[in-house]
Amino acid sequence: DAKTTQPTSMDCAEGRAANLPCNHSTISGNEYVYWYRQIHSQGPQYIIHGLKNNETNEMASLIITEDRKSSTLILPHATLRDTAVYYCIVRVGAAGNKLTFGGGTRVLVKP
Amino acid sequence: DAGITQSPRHKVTETGTPVTLRCHQTENHRYMYWYRQDPGHGLRLIHYSYGVKDTDKGEVSDGYSVSRSKTEDFLLTLESATSSQTSVYFCAISPSGFYNEQFFGPGTRLTVL
């Protein structure tokens, strides 16, 4: 599995866009980029995933660089409820595949 | 809410006793997973299932067994609980398994004294 590198923590202002970077320079061609988050004491929550095209859903946007060595998760209008640990995971798409959660980025949204 | 419940939500037990945690889903998804979460270790996969009676080990399976006799239920058993198994246990389900779009339950906090 490709290793991912994320900043340990970051702050952002409520109402502003939050841009969360992730480096995955050893990603291989069949590996997807997944983002999850975990709000304190709750189970992890799936956010979004992508292979090479940018993706957007109701929660966030995922921007993957052309060389696929890095990506950015964008929360367009951060709210206090977005305070959580955000995990970037790189994994092949395969049935029964298991997720490996690293340290993640602790995001604090401030009023 | 992905239709996942875990029971019990909290349990305190003593070393050496057997413990069974239950994960129940209403989504009829094929894939189910058990993880544990500990400070400094993130989430680690214990066991997973890809169908009724089909299970496999994860990275920290020692001391744990699982069973899946029905699509909707995935049981995690600690045959003889130890203090090192004090943790928060999360169950997850996945519709296809392929895209790793996993949905997690609320967790069970287990304390082994």
Side-chain angles (χ1 to χ4, degrees):
Chain A
D1 300 336
K3 181 184 169 75
T4 62
T5 303
Q6 299 178 250
T8 304
S9 64
M10 62 184 294
D11 295 344
C12 67
E14 186 179 21
R16 304 293 295 270
N19 297 283
L20 282 63
C22 180
N23 284 317
H24 31 80
S25 59
T26 60
I27 192 170
S28 59
N30 62 346
E31 289 183 311
Y32 289 73
V33 180
Y34 302 86
W35 282 85
Y36 282 76
R37 72 180 183 183
Q38 188 170 24
I39 298 169
H40 181 61
S41 298
Q42 298 181 20
Q45 179 186 22
Y46 165 81
I47 301 173
I48 200 167
H49 76 272
L51 182 62
K52 53 185 178 182
N53 297 321
N54 298 338
E55 303 287 345
T56 296
N57 62 20
E58 65 278 4
M59 288 183 66
S61 295
L62 173 61
I63 308 298
I64 303 174
T65 58
E66 192 168 344
D67 63 8
R68 301 186 71 237
K69 293 185 177 182
S70 66
S71 61
T72 300
L73 179 74
I74 301 172
L75 307 177
H77 304 287
T79 71
L80 299 180
R81 289 176 295 179
D82 292 322
T83 291
V85 179
Y86 287 76
Y87 298 97
C88 170
I89 301 167
V90 173
R91 202 75 168 94
V92 296
N97 226 335
K98 295 86 71 174
L99 293 172
T100 301
F101 289 77
T105 297
R106 189 170 297 274
V107 174
L108 176 61
V109 180
K110 296 182 175 180
Chain B
D1 188 354
I4 311 169
T5 57
Q6 292 184 232
S7 58
R9 294 293 313 280
H10 301 272
K11 186 172 181 66
V12 179
T13 190
E14 294 189 350
T15 297
T17 59
V19 176
T20 295
L21 308 183
R22 179 183 184 234
C23 177
H24 177 79
Q25 61 153 326
T26 58
E27 306 296 320
N28 203 36
H29 288 337
R30 179 180 176 187
Y31 294 90
M32 299 185 75
Y33 308 79
W34 275 109
Y35 293 86
R36 61 177 288 175
Q37 186 170 35
D38 307 288
H41 289 278
L43 273 90
R44 293 179 291 175
L45 181 70
I46 306 171
H47 281 278
Y48 69 103
S49 169
Y50 43 97
V52 173
K53 292 186 168 54
D54 289 325
T55 65
D56 205 349
K57 296 180 179 180
E59 60 181 309
V60 290
S61 59
D62 288 347
Y64 301 94
S65 62
V66 290
S67 66
R68 192 166 177 203
S69 58
K70 297 185 291 185
T71 298
E72 59 265 35
D73 289 325
F74 192 31
L75 305 181
L76 177 71
T77 297
L78 291 65
E79 302 289 349
S80 178
T82 67
S83 58
S84 65
Q85 294 175 312
T86 292
S87 187
V88 180
Y89 292 85
F90 289 103
C91 173
I93 64 175
S94 181
S96 71
F98 187 86
Y99 291 116
N100 286 299
E101 190 179 2
Q102 295 185 17
F103 301 98
F104 286 77
T108 294
R109 184 173 294 276
L110 176 67
T111 302
V112 183
L113 302 176

